Amino acid sequence: MIAFRCFRNDDPPRLADTWRCADLGPAAVQPMTSALLEACVFSKPYFDREGLLVAVDGTRVVGFAHAGFGPNAARSALDTSVGTTMLVVVVPHEEHERIAAGLVSRCEDYLRSRGARTLLGGGGPALGGFYRGLYGGSDVPGILDTAPAMQAVFERAGYEVADRIAVLRRALGRFRPPVNRLQVAIQRATRLSVVDEPPRRSWWEAAVTSGIALRRYVLANLAGETLGTATFWDMQPLASCLGVTAAGLLDVDIEGPRRRQGLASYLVARAMHDLAQEGVAVVETHVAASNAAASSLFEKLGYEAVTHGTMFARPVRAEPA
Ligand SMILES: CC(C)(COP(=O)(O)OP(=O)(O)OC[C@H]1O[C@@H](n2cnc3c(N)ncnc32)[C@H](O)[C@@H]1OP(=O)(O)O)[C@@H](O)C(=O)NCCC(=O)NCCS
């Protein structure tokens, strides 16, 4: 008899065990431990035990699913109007589909009870903020194609594809930043600084990067005005599991009026060169198919897709007249 309940304080070892037994594909940290879940999930200041749903068969935990929210526009608090079910983790079980469906529907109940009108499936940089370093890579890229069983859970629940996220990698062996007239002109007109453990720019950034080592490359003009930033982290503990010295590019952002002037190409290439000199072998980042500018930028810098993830959305039901 399967029963559902929300998270309890004595669950972590059983949830780690569930993660170890479930088929999450190669982009999930293994072996999972309670300590890793504590560091990347339960310790987040906005963790809500009622959003972490647990399925039990008798006394055995057989699955869990985690629902949460992203930040508001000012990144100063959660925006509970859009909610997502980030992961659905179920052990091999004869009632696998029923367990997964029950978890998703209880996650939806939780999200609606907090005010969500839009329901998504899959985590991402601006959604949930949990499992970074445990699932995906440089960030959580929705539900990965390497976990087709989890994608099928959302499809059976009536979700549709909202966006596709490419997981991009660029090996840094012998990487040299491009040298051309534009890049030389940018080099003369700017200053690039490297800030380890930069002050966090918002409550949300502080919350989702607690406990991880950030490095920010800041590009400024000669008057000291910031033109853009690129922020990396060491992708631990996932990078250790992959067996590479990796850096995850979390975000690159050029000030609006300064775009289309070659600045991102210059900034990211210089950062990649710097990281290569420190022994980083590969840089990974994610880009949504809907972000044409970033897709094109990374393609020009030699990044290639190694897999894709899907962000799902539940179609809004028409209200009866
Ligand atoms: C994506 C972003 C960083 C690009 O910065 P940028 O300084 O304008 O990029 P560059 O001028 O170096 O352009 C490099 C290439 O990217 C592509 N590109 C940049 N902006 C583009 C746009 N609006 N549409 C299509 N391609 C674009 C082009 O291929 C361009 O090469 P080209 O100018 O020779 O055609 C910038 O648009 C931005 O800050 N966007 C908001 C944040 C974001 O989406 N970050 C990426 C994900 S974290």
Side-chain angles (χ1 to χ4, degrees):
M1 170 77 177
I2 307 295
F4 300 92
R5 59 168 174 76
C6 63
F7 173 83
R8 292 194 317 227
N9 281 348
D10 61 347
D11 276 334
R14 287 179 290 218
L15 299 188
D17 189 44
T18 304
W19 180 292
R20 287 193 298 271
C21 295
D23 180 14
L24 297 176
V29 159
Q30 294 290 7
M32 179 52 76
T33 64
S34 313
L36 289 177
L37 285 174
E38 178 64 36
C40 299
V41 183
F42 312 134
S43 64
K44 299 286 177 202
Y46 50 91
F47 172 72
D48 178 359
R49 62 182 283 275
E50 293 186 22
L52 181 47
L53 280 304
V54 178
V56 289
D57 183 358
T59 56
R60 183 181 172 221
V61 171
V62 290
F64 69 90
H66 195 173
F69 303 94
N72 62 12
R75 301 187 158 237
S76 57
L78 293 181
D79 171 8
T80 57
S81 67
V82 180
T84 190
T85 300
M86 286 166 273
L87 288 175
V88 183
V89 180
V90 181
V91 301
H93 192 286
E94 57 192 6
E95 293 192 73
H96 185 285
E97 288 192 13
R98 200 169 77 79
I99 295 167
L103 286 167
V104 170
S105 101
R106 280 157 183 85
C107 282
E108 292 174 342
D109 292 344
Y110 162 78
L111 294 170
R112 286 198 191 95
S113 75
R114 295 292 192 272
R117 294 183 298 281
T118 303
L119 299 181
L120 303 177
L127 270 168
F130 297 100
Y131 304 98
R132 181 178 278 167
L134 298 184
Y135 181 80
S138 62
D139 218 316
V140 179
I143 309 294
L144 282 165
D145 290 356
T146 50
M150 209 191 304
Q151 291 187 343
V153 168
F154 287 96
E155 285 157 3
R156 280 195 301 271
Y159 284 68
E160 294 175 354
V161 175
D163 208 349
R164 292 278 287 162
I165 319 287
V167 179
L168 304 176
R169 271 193 208 145
R170 171 69 156 95
L172 293 186
R174 296 200 217 127
F175 175 78
R176 296 277 176 281
V179 181
N180 56 45
R181 204 176 287 178
L182 177 61
Q183 301 285 302
V184 171
I186 293 171
Q187 184 173 12
R188 289 204 181 115
T190 59
R191 292 282 174 271
L192 183 65
S193 52
V194 185
V195 188
D196 281 309
E197 283 309 308
R200 301 326 196 225
R201 297 175 287 200
S202 64
W203 168 81
W204 177 252
E205 189 180 50
V208 297
T209 62
S210 63
I212 72 172
L214 287 192
R215 167 173 290 191
R216 185 164 289 145
Y217 291 84
V218 182
L219 189 66
N221 62 17
L222 299 182
E225 294 163 330
T226 297
L227 306 175
T229 58
T231 308
F232 294 81
W233 70 299
D234 60 5
M235 281 176 54
Q236 292 299 343
L238 200 55
S240 297
C241 293
L242 299 173
V244 288
T245 310
L249 174 52
L250 277 177
D251 58 67
V252 50
D253 202 352
I254 301 296
E255 294 293 317
R258 315 284 189 166
R259 291 179 189 165
R260 291 314 293 261
Q261 296 167 27
L263 294 179
S265 310
Y266 175 80
L267 170 61
V268 177
R270 285 287 305 270
M272 287 161 62
H273 183 58
D274 189 55
L275 291 165
Q277 293 197 314
E278 290 190 13
V280 172
V282 72
V283 173
E284 186 180 304
T285 194
H286 295 169
V287 65
S290 57
N291 191 342
S295 301
S296 181
L297 167 71
F298 291 124
E299 191 185 331
K300 286 202 165 173
L301 287 168
Y303 286 74
E304 288 178 0
V306 287
T307 185
H308 289 82
T310 296
M311 276 307 299
F312 290 95
R314 188 174 180 100
V316 179
R317 279 179 244 133
E319 296 293 332

